[in-house]
């Protein structure tokens, strides 16, 4: 009889990760099995062998997968549980595909054929130097800091070819499904049988892709969002993280892991390289790479030699004389779009707020439509004639009169992408205008309409950050930004960085060829350093200013953060419990830990609950992890290394 420590994928006891089971046949570490827990059947992972216990044990019920998970993935799962203070069962729910015990499966999807025009890649001297430096780095993290259009994708492809030739697999992480269209398109021109995984696949398709990776006997190329990191491929030689600055690389649910940090640990266990590619690297990543003497490879020029830098105009939104033809589309922007259309070219209009209007109010008494569960303004979606809460999803009909004073003077204020789309349709009737944002139907996703975007069938592209980054569109000549400083008002240490990144990325959509291009940016704060540096793509100046500010205010990379949030049905309970925990933490915390709050959370009311939070800072992360033991078992959530304090 053989005995094994098996980790169930459901939490059985909060203080126990593994349980001992027996098998009359020898099993491999990493095999996925079914085990009996009480009267239920549960999926489990064999973690290690165990000596014969003194008590009676249940047998392993059945084997789900005879091929074991790679040892590196098992080690990563244990590290995730420890580093992020999560139960191992919660980690396994993240790592293993849903419905793994099901037997019937559909066929998986095929990667679509390329739609982009192909040219022979001729590397610039900077790209050649980058490839040489990557080859010389045996393992560990490499920061690839290339300006937009500098040819990072070509470096990824060549590095992937060399890794495959050495008999190793490559995982390419992309921030959103929106970007997989273009990258899969590029990669599919060079590699056969790419394994693609993403959230829009069916459960069966994702399982089949996962199983292809598990049972592969040759090196593979895997492309997907952060969860692709856990595809069970053996012999990983390289992990590439494209647009590594993106917030979607941090998981919002437990375990709240950073794909960047986890990739570096997986690479360490696999003796692999990690390439963090970005035109706007996270300030913290850049600082850590410098401090830890990790390679920073800079691609300072556009890959296309005859690329002409765009002409950038900044429109001050406080000067109403610039808005004679329309209240929020400046005369300069309308003229540029019109000239584009006359020449059969594309324009892109960017605004990082979806919906038609952000506030619905009564002009007579001042009543405003808000969510009864979250106490936040409801957003008007005029195309569906409804108000919607962007936090809990509640919908309501659009009022024709005020529920308080019964006046019919109901107005809708604020700008959203749906309003921009409808206003542009009035200005340019008969033109093909398509909106891409979080409300877009699947038929109007970037993935579904990528060919129309690429070949210029769409005249005017309207959207949020979904279309601001990563896309390379040959017919695009003008980019307009409706309100560049919209994110600066958010009370968060990362607000300026996110504004800088968005603007630098939006500007980078043009200026990639010999065609003259235009960027017109509207802003109420045209002199703010995040706006100015973003438009000039001046990363060095922005980095210096931000690092000085972070050092002064004790924010990352100079401190580790822990965000603690409670949710109670009444405001009084939320305040009382958060004050109580603050007192306990102040007694038990080391002197190096700074405790801020309690304060109302930025979204204080959500889904009928009041939310209050504490923010802890420390130069030692271990001190924050230790304090998690003081957390009450219910009503509280925690997040280590939060990317935002909102």
């Amino acid at each position: 009889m053989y005995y094994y420590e098996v980790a169930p994928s459901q939490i059985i006891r909060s203080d126990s990760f593994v349980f001992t089971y027996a098998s009359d046949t020898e099993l491999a570490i990493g095999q996925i099995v079914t085990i009996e827990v009480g009267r239920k059947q549960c999926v489990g992972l064999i973690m290690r062998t165990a000596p014969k216990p003194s008590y009676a044990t249940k047998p392993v019920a059945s084997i789900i997968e005879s091929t074991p998970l790679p040892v590196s993935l098992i080690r990563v799962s244990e590290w995730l549980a420890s580093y992020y203070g999560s139960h191992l069962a919660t980690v396994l729910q993240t790592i293993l595909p849903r419905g793994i015990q099901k037997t019937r499966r559909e066929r998986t999807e095929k990667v679509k054929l390329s739609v982009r025009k192909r040219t022979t890649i001729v590397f610039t001297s900077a790209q050649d130097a980058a490839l040489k430096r990557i080859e010389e780095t045996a393992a560990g993290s490499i920061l690839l800091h290339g300006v937009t259009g500098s040819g990072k994708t070509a470096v990824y492809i060549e590095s992937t070819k060399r890794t495959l030739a050495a008999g190793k697999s490559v995982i390419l992480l992309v921030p959103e499904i929106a970007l997989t269209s273009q990258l899969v398109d590029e990669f599919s021109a060079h590699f056969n049988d790419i394994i693609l995984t993403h959230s829009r696949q069916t459960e069966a398709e994702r399982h089949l892709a996962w199983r292809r990776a598990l049972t592969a006997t040759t090196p593979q190329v895997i492309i997907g969002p952060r969860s692709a990191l856990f595809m069970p491929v053996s012999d990983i030689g390289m992990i590439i993280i494209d647009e590594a600055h993106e917030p979607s690389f941090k998981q919002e649910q437990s375990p709240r892991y950073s794909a960047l940090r986890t990739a570096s640990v997986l690479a360490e266990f696999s003796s692999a390289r990690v390439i963090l590619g970005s035109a706007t690297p996270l300030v913290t990543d850049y600082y850590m790479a410098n401090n830890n003497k990790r390679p920073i490879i800079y691609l300072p020029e556009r890959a296309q030699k005859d690329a002409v830098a765009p002409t950038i105009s900044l429109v001050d939104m406080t000067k109403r004389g610039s808005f004679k033809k329309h209240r929020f589309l400046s005369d300069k922007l309308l003229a540029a779009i019109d000239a584009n259309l006359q020449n059969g070219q594309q324009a892109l209009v960017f605004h990082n707020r979806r919906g038609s209007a952000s506030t619905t109010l009564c002009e007579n008494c001042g009543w405003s439509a808000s969510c009864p569960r979250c106490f936040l303004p409801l957003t008007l979606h005029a195309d569906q004639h409804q108000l919607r809460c962007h936090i809990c999803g509640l919908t309501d009909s659009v009022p024709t009169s005020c529920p308080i004073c019964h006046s019919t003077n109901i107005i809708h204020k604020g700008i959203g992408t749906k309003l921009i789309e409808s206003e542009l349709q009035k200005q340019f009737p008969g033109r093909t205008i398509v909106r891409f944002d979080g409300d877009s139907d699947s038929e109007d996703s970037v993935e579904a309409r990528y060919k129309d975007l690429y070949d210029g069938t769409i005249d005017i592209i309207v959207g949020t950050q979904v279309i601001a980054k990563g896309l390379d569109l040959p017919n695009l000549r003008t980019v307009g930004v409706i309100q560049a400083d919209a994110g600066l008002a958010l009370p968060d240490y990362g607000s300026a960085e996110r504004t800088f990144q968005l603007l630098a990325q939006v500007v980078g959509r043009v200026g990639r060829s010999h065609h003259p291009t235009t960027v017109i940016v509207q802003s109420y704060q045209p002199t703010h350093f995040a706006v100015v540096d973003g438009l000039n793509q001046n990363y060095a100046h922005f980095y210096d200013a931000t690092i000085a500010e972070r050092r002064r205010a004790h924010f990352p990379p100079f401190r580790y953060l822990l965000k603690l949030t409670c949710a109670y049905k009444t405001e009084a309970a939320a305040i009382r419990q958060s004050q109580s925990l603050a007192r306990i933490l102040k007694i038990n915390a080391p002197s190096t830990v700074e405790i801020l709050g309690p304060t109302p959370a930025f979204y204080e009311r959500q889904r009928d609950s009041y939310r209050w939070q504490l923010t802890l800072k420390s130069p030692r992360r271990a001190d924050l992890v230790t304090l998690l033991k003081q957390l009450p078992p219910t009503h509280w959530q925690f997040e280590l290394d939060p990317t935002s304090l909102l």
Side-chain angles (χ1 to χ4, degrees), residues 6 130 342 479 568 644:
V6 184
Q342 299 304 325
V479 169
Y568 282 87
S644 164

Side-chain angles (χ1 to χ4, degrees), residues 9-21:
S9 61
Q10 293 174 20
I11 298 174
I12 310 304
R13 288 210 298 265
S14 60
D15 58 348
S16 298
F17 288 1
V18 295
F19 300 90
T20 303
Y21 282 82

Side-chain angles (χ1 to χ4, degrees), residues 268-298:
E268 188 183 322
F269 293 153
S270 309
S271 301
R273 304 182 186 99
V274 178
I275 299 177
L276 305 175
S278 176
T280 54
L282 288 168
V283 163
T284 298
D285 288 344
Y286 206 90
Y287 179 86
M288 298 305 286
N290 259 327
N291 252 28
N292 298 332
K293 304 288 188 288
R294 294 304 306 168
I296 298 176
I297 302 170
Y298 189 43

Side-chain angles (χ1 to χ4, degrees), residues 103-109 201-209:
T103 52
R104 289 188 62 190
R105 295 289 168 198
E106 305 160 18
R107 285 185 60 77
T108 189
E109 69 176 271
Q201 290 173 323
T202 64
E203 183 184 283
E205 285 173 337
R206 285 200 299 276
H207 182 272
L208 283 171

Side-chain angles (χ1 to χ4, degrees), residues 180-198:
T180 61
S181 311
Q182 185 163 309
L183 268 160
V184 170
D185 196 40
E186 293 277 4
F187 266 67
S188 63
H190 297 271
F191 307 102
N192 294 322
D193 298 326
I194 291 168
I195 299 178
L196 182 62
T197 176
H198 56 77

